[in-house]
Amino acid sequence: MFEFLSAVFQRAFSLLLDFLPWVIGGVFLSEILKYTSWADFVQKAIKKSPSLSIFIAAALGIASPLCTYSTVPIVIDLYKKETPVAPLVTFLGASSLLNPQLFLVTCGGFGLGFGLIRLVSVFVFAVLLGFSLILINKKIKIFDSGNVNSRIEESGNSCRKPKNIASFHFPEYLKGVWSTFRFIGKYLLIGILISVALEAVVPVTLLFEQATMEWLNIIFAAFLSIPVYICGGGVIPLVQMLMNNGMSLGAAMAFLIVGPATRVTALAALGSFMSKKMVFFYVAFLIGFSFILGIILNTIGI
């Protein structure tokens, strides 16, 4: 028993050292970005043509360091200013799935190529979501106007709201870095311990050994992410372990696409101002996209 625990902790410590530089770099970068006015950027960007604004909103959503709870008040504020709905939801969808910090941690766990595939996948998803909303805008009520005002304050309590570069104060910046690092580091450590323990005691390869049933593995991975995905950095070691034991790139990407947006906290934020039909459409669109993406990635054999 002692030898087993010793091996688990040695493996966990080795993984932690591999991830640590990427986590630290991501935290410092994300804190710097929080001193930029994302609301102003988004508002100016989506005044362009409807098609162009969706592409810009997707890119800004990925570049945004804010969590879903901090993004919601920005989206609501812009909505109340009669900003077009499609690019707003595009921005929210992209920011829910990826941010600069998570991109760096992904690269640290899987390499730059995998990180770029995830980045492009999120961008394509957000763009397709935006254009689909243009088509269904008159058929589905997207925002629930009755809830727009009632939960805006609650939605913004989980993460700090964006600041302005003029308010930059180095001690406060370091305090924010330390706070974010503690949060990310805690879940990263938990994720590493869980992944190492599962790899040691569970025959994970049995889950992914049926090559002829890869489409089923992709669906399984997408739905597995819903209860398992807690923190972006924390699941990277778990997905890394699953891929080492047979999970395909397509299934892994389905896991990483569905998980961030279907967490209870993320769905609660969306449900605070979106209609129930829109939330259902969003989740269904997300799962459908992840399945098709997984099939394409496995077919072309990247």
Side-chain angles (χ1 to χ4, degrees), residues 28-96:
F28 274 93
L29 174 62
S30 67
E31 286 299 315
I32 284 289
L33 291 175
K34 286 179 182 178
Y35 285 88
T36 58
S37 301
W38 287 105
D40 294 338
F41 290 159
V42 175
Q43 187 175 16
K44 293 177 181 178
I46 58 184
K47 286 182 178 179
K48 312 288 183 181
S49 67
S51 298
L52 181 60
S53 66
I54 288 176
F55 286 98
I56 295 176
L60 287 178
I62 294 173
S64 173
L66 303 177
C67 69
T68 304
Y69 274 91
S70 287
T71 304
V72 165
I74 294 176
V75 172
I76 291 177
D77 181 62
L78 294 176
Y79 171 69
K80 291 165 66 176
K81 295 177 180 178
E82 300 183 351
T83 305
V85 171
L88 284 183
V89 179
T90 299
F91 173 78
L92 181 61
S95 65
S96 298

Side-chain angles (χ1 to χ4, degrees), residues 190-206:
I190 292 173
I192 287 175
L193 291 174
I194 291 175
S195 64
V196 171
L198 285 176
E199 188 175 27
V201 301
V202 178
V204 182
T205 52
L206 295 178

Side-chain angles (χ1 to χ4, degrees), residues 25 31 53 68 79 87 144 174 179 193 201 209 215 235 246 250 255 257:
E31 286 299 315
S53 66
T68 304
Y79 171 69
D144 187 342
L174 291 180
S179 177
L193 291 174
V201 301
E209 66 179 0
W215 64 271
V235 300
F255 185 102
I257 291 292

Side-chain angles (χ1 to χ4, degrees), residues 270-289:
L270 297 179
S272 67
F273 68 102
M274 283 185 177
S275 67
K276 293 180 180 179
K277 287 185 178 180
M278 180 57 206
V279 173
F280 177 81
F281 172 82
Y282 176 74
V283 173
F285 189 90
L286 187 75
I287 294 175
F289 173 83

Side-chain angles (χ1 to χ4, degrees), residues 38-178:
W38 287 105
D40 294 338
F41 290 159
V42 175
Q43 187 175 16
K44 293 177 181 178
I46 58 184
K47 286 182 178 179
K48 312 288 183 181
S49 67
S51 298
L52 181 60
S53 66
I54 288 176
F55 286 98
I56 295 176
L60 287 178
I62 294 173
S64 173
L66 303 177
C67 69
T68 304
Y69 274 91
S70 287
T71 304
V72 165
I74 294 176
V75 172
I76 291 177
D77 181 62
L78 294 176
Y79 171 69
K80 291 165 66 176
K81 295 177 180 178
E82 300 183 351
T83 305
V85 171
L88 284 183
V89 179
T90 299
F91 173 78
L92 181 61
S95 65
S96 298
L97 296 183
L98 193 62
N99 57 46
Q101 177 178 292
L102 188 52
F103 172 73
L104 288 180
V105 177
T106 301
C107 291
F110 303 101
L112 179 60
F114 188 101
L116 291 175
I117 292 174
R118 187 179 188 184
L119 186 150
V120 172
S121 299
V122 171
F123 181 80
V124 172
F125 164 77
V127 169
L128 292 178
L129 175 66
F131 281 108
S132 69
L133 291 181
I134 293 178
L135 297 176
I136 69 168
N137 192 19
K138 296 181 179 180
K139 298 179 180 180
I140 295 180
K141 182 181 179 182
I142 297 177
F143 285 0
D144 187 342
S145 56
N147 290 334
V148 165
N149 295 318
S150 62
R151 293 183 62 183
I152 183 172
E153 183 176 351
E154 177 184 349
S155 298
N157 284 338
S158 178
C159 298
R160 286 169 293 158
K161 296 181 179 181
K163 303 175 182 180
N164 188 283
I165 192 64
S167 65
F168 181 84
H169 187 54
F170 191 68
E172 183 182 358
Y173 167 72
L174 291 180
K175 182 178 179 181
V177 167
W178 173 241

